[in-house]
Amino acid sequence: MSHTTIGILGGGQLGRMLALAGYPLGLRFRFLDPAADAPAGQLAAHDHGGYADPAQLDAFARSVDLVSYEFENVPVAAARHLAERVPVYPPPQALAVAQDRLAEKTFFNSLGAATPPFASVDSRAELEAAIERIGLPAVLKTRRLGYDGKGQLVLRAPADTDTAWAALGGTALILEGFVPFRRELSIIAARGRDGQIACYPLAENHHRDGILRLSLAPAPGLSPMLQAAAEQIAQRALEALGYVGVLAIELFELEPAGQSQVDTHDARFSAHNALLLVNEMAPRVHNSGHWTIEGAETSQFEQHLRAVLGLPLGSPATRGHAAMVNLIGSWPEPAAVLAVPGAHLHLYGKLARPGRKVGHITLRADSAAQLHERLAMLP
Ligand code: AMP
């Protein structure tokens, strides 16, 4: 174990935090990322290559003991190429599903998990037909390469169709019914090589301009039934994919009265599943799980490493209540953050730039009330 080298495709902050969690376990890391200034490169060996060059991938495979990834747009072909040479976790098939919103929603429906109503859109005529079937408002999204709300538009009235088609037409699209959700939640789950599964409590997520700003964990008012319903979805997805590692699933929680708008009737699911719609999954550690570094017994980063290495999974139990505040574009004076009781600062070594995630703050507290007091004290 002591000299195991983990190869990670992608060298962003998620890779950097994986390395920070792995050093106490005696692990070494090597990152493959085309960006010269990849934040993980400040901590570990960094190959500056692209993912499409087989010679580069072969050299990478020779220099590591196993491969994982920290962003989901790694070409599936690159992951499969590596998997012929070295163990790759999570399985490349999970990447394939997560990279295509149509495949992803079809996958969750096949498990009996509800999603917003959706339709594939490859032409203007299909867009008209999809609007006819799903109704308005609706969200038109590119099937691939969307993130942080990019590559998507909300259609509120028939007159929006022209603008939306002008902006996004020409690529493979999906139209989704606009869900009047009560709130956005996510579940971070892990599956080990032996099939053991561990799930963290649901987090409640708040976005602005399509970017995650704040996660609260456990989600305020989380009931055991809602948690069980989310865990059931996660367990089915993990098992269906033969998944190894950490998986994040983003969910919409409906108002109880909103259930009737969505067809969620599936005898295999309890009534509480009808309150949860799957939005998307990320086959990796996830921003809405950063609170686990200080807020849980085992962080999502350590958990991912335990899983891919075939080690026992750690406890996902919380240590009190946690909030994760993303630092977008710039960061406050560290002293002002650290003066707040229970605050922990994580800066990613990135240059400040508008809209860029440059760090996060975790706040920990003994109660939900204390957490909100402390949140109000942050600069
Ligand atoms: P996504 O890239 O699919 O995660 O979408 C980014 C954000 O847009 C989500 O976090 C939601 O706030 C919102 N959103 C996405 N899809 C829908 C939908 N079908 N109905 C309502 N809001 C949505």
Side-chain angles (χ1 to χ4, degrees):
M1 276 294 303
S2 58
H3 294 300
T4 301
T5 300
I6 312 245
I8 308 271
L9 303 179
Q13 62 266 20
L14 301 179
R16 180 179 163 111
M17 288 185 273
L18 281 167
L20 289 170
Y23 289 136
L25 295 171
L27 301 170
R28 295 177 184 188
F29 290 84
R30 186 167 202 101
F31 291 89
L32 179 61
D33 190 315
D37 60 350
Q42 295 163 15
L43 306 191
H46 172 197
D47 295 354
H48 296 243
Y51 306 112
D53 174 2
Q56 176 89 51
L57 293 173
D58 290 347
F60 190 68
R62 280 194 298 274
S63 61
V64 300
D65 297 296
L66 73 85
V67 168
S68 189
Y69 24 84
E70 62 96 74
F71 88 121
E72 66 265 39
N73 288 322
V74 168
V76 176
R80 294 213 165 110
H81 182 92
L82 287 166
E84 286 165 13
R85 288 156 181 80
V86 65
V88 174
Y89 300 113
Q93 182 56 22
L95 278 179
V97 172
Q99 285 176 2
D100 179 354
R101 293 182 190 275
L102 185 65
E104 189 175 47
K105 290 197 164 60
T106 306
F107 168 69
F108 278 100
N109 284 175
S110 78
L111 302 176
T115 60
F118 63 93
S120 171
V121 171
D122 289 325
S123 66
R124 175 70 202 237
E126 282 181 0
L127 177 58
E128 306 279 356
I131 293 171
E132 187 71 26
R133 182 161 78 73
I134 290 170
L136 294 178
V139 193
L140 187 64
K141 302 180 178 180
T142 57
R143 279 171 56 179
R144 296 178 173 276
L145 296 175
Y147 70 98
D148 286 348
K150 294 188 174 61
Q152 55 181 272
L153 285 170
V154 178
L155 283 78
R156 299 195 182 275
D160 296 338
T161 314
D162 285 336
T163 334
W165 183 253
L168 298 176
T171 44
L173 301 171
I174 183 173
L175 186 77
E176 298 179 13
F178 187 88
V179 178
F181 52 75
R182 180 178 162 231
R183 57 180 177 170
E184 295 190 64
L185 301 170
S186 59
I187 184 156
I188 310 285
R191 185 168 179 272
R193 285 203 211 171
D194 62 356
Q196 186 195 356
I197 289 176
C199 296
Y200 292 91
L202 282 161
E204 178 183 299
N205 302 319
H206 297 262
H207 298 81
R208 194 166 5 111
D209 302 329
I211 304 179
L212 181 67
R213 304 284 158 158
L214 170 72
S215 293
L216 299 171
L222 178 60
S223 72
M225 271 96 72
L226 196 68
Q227 177 69 22
E231 290 191 11
Q232 193 179 26
I233 295 171
Q235 183 189 335
R236 286 185 185 177
L238 290 166
E239 288 174 351
L241 292 164
Y243 199 91
V244 173
V246 162
L247 172 74
I249 303 176
E250 295 181 27
L251 301 155
F252 298 139
E253 185 187 5
L254 299 180
E255 297 288 357
Q259 286 171 63
S260 56
Q261 297 169 16
V262 186
D263 178 17
T264 56
H265 299 295
D266 185 310
R268 294 173 295 170
F269 274 87
S270 70
H272 278 82
N273 291 78
L275 289 177
L276 290 176
L277 301 187
V278 175
N279 175 28
E280 61 181 351
M281 71 175 203
R284 53 167 171 79
V285 289
H286 192 254
N287 196 169
S288 70
H290 290 359
W291 63 272
T292 59
I293 297 177
E294 292 90 6
E297 192 69 39
T298 312
S299 82
Q300 63 164 347
F301 302 99
E302 181 181 333
Q303 194 75 300
H304 183 73
L305 296 170
R306 288 180 181 230
V308 300
L309 286 163
L311 295 170
L313 298 185
S315 164
T318 53
R319 295 164 162 166
H321 293 252
M324 189 287 309
V325 180
N326 262 346
L327 301 174
I328 316 277
S330 63
W331 54 90
E333 193 53 51
V337 174
L338 298 175
V340 178
H344 301 268
L345 180 62
H346 299 258
L347 296 177
Y348 305 150
K350 292 162 87 168
L351 293 175
R353 206 184 286 160
R356 202 178 201 202
K357 293 175 183 169
V358 292
H360 73 268
I361 298 166
T362 311
L363 263 187
R364 240 171 46 72
D366 295 329
S367 67
Q370 188 184 50
L371 187 67
H372 283 92
E373 273 165 32
R374 291 179 171 182
L375 267 172
M377 292 165 73
L378 284 180

